[in-house]
Amino acid sequence: MEIQKNIWYVTLLLTMIAGYCDTVTFVAADSIFSAHVTGNFIVFAYQIIKGSDLHAWVKLLTFPVFIFAVIVGGRIALKATNRYTILFWEGLILVLSGIAVYTFGFFEIISQWTTYTVAMTTVFAMGLQNAFGKLYAKETHGPTTMMTGNVTQASLDLGNLLKNGVKDPEILLSFKKQLVTIMGFLVGCFLGAVAGKFFGLGTLILPGTAMIICYIYHRK
């Protein structure tokens, strides 16, 4: 029973962090998606046809950075005795990214390329989280960074519930699991939007700290 509770909490935490990071980089780092990296292809194409300059091409860098992060996550998993070690590194990267923003800001040397660099480290962190989700699928109730699959499953479950009622407990449970992932991501997106607009990328310290706490709790 305790394990099941942990899965609910971990799922909620990871979806909130993914939604937060994805939105905070979009708002505060020139419309860069850090979790939904394929979304950057759309932004890139849009900016190109609108006559954007060289900076639009930065969006394409998210793809190789993300791939490299997933590979690194796989390597970490091979050597680590604790599966949550991947999340520790994700949290550490996010915390250091936030500290870097405040450090550069203190010395008044924040530039657009500094912003892009922090955005890419956030993309790397999200790549690690995606690797965790693929390697340890049973640790969460579904993908925590991309909601399309979860929305699809929730829709199928809802259709069954509308047709047959709540007679099937497995379908009802599946629907509840999808709601946790979707609502967690939505809340994270809202928090990330507010944080990105008013406080900037330095607030990456918050999800990073939460991730490290999650690792400490599960390291036993």
Side-chain angles (χ1 to χ4, degrees):
M1 188 65 179
E2 185 67 27
I3 294 177
Q4 289 298 320
K5 287 184 178 179
N6 286 341
I7 294 176
W8 286 96
Y9 296 146
V10 170
T11 300
L12 181 61
L13 176 65
L14 294 188
T15 52
M16 288 183 64
I17 287 176
Y20 185 100
C21 291
D22 209 25
T23 309
V24 79
T25 54
F26 187 84
V27 172
D30 193 26
S31 304
I32 292 178
F33 289 108
S34 53
H36 290 78
V37 290
T38 51
N40 293 315
F41 294 166
I42 300 171
V43 178
F44 165 73
Y46 172 76
Q47 290 182 337
I48 288 297
I49 65 169
K50 294 290 286 186
S52 296
D53 57 18
L54 181 64
H55 294 274
W57 292 85
V58 174
K59 306 295 187 303
L60 296 184
L61 287 178
T62 60
F63 197 62
V65 169
F66 187 86
I67 292 174
F68 180 63
V70 174
I71 293 173
V72 171
R75 294 289 184 177
I76 293 174
L78 288 175
K79 297 182 178 181
T81 56
N82 185 337
R83 61 190 62 186
Y84 285 85
T85 301
I86 297 178
L87 299 185
F88 167 78
W89 287 108
E90 176 187 350
L92 183 62
I93 289 171
L94 291 175
V95 168
L96 292 177
S97 297
I99 291 175
V101 172
Y102 286 126
T103 302
F104 285 125
F106 178 79
F107 291 105
E108 298 183 348
I109 53 176
I110 286 286
S111 67
Q112 191 167 27
W113 289 107
T114 302
T115 300
Y116 286 147
T117 300
V118 172
M120 292 303 161
T121 58
T122 308
V123 170
F124 190 93
M126 290 297 99
L128 293 179
Q129 183 166 320
N130 271 272
F132 175 85
K134 284 292 184 181
L135 293 169
Y136 308 116
K138 293 184 179 180
E139 294 295 318
T140 63
H141 288 317
T144 59
T145 59
M146 294 174 286
M147 293 298 107
T148 306
N150 295 327
V151 172
T152 301
Q153 185 60 56
S155 300
L156 292 172
D157 293 337
L158 179 60
N160 287 324
L161 290 172
L162 291 175
K163 179 182 178 181
N164 304 316
V166 293
K167 298 176 183 178
D168 192 332
E170 290 187 6
I171 294 178
L172 181 60
L173 179 60
S174 176
F175 184 65
K176 291 180 179 178
K177 290 178 179 179
Q178 305 315 314
L179 283 184
V180 168
T181 62
I182 296 168
M183 295 307 297
F185 192 86
L186 178 61
V187 171
C189 287
F190 179 78
L191 294 176
V194 173
K197 180 179 180 179
F198 295 105
F199 305 104
L201 291 174
T203 58
L204 289 168
I205 291 176
L206 299 177
T209 301
M211 193 66 81
I212 292 174
I213 292 174
C214 178
Y215 163 76
I216 292 174
Y217 179 80
H218 289 92
R219 67 179 178 179
K220 51 190 177 182

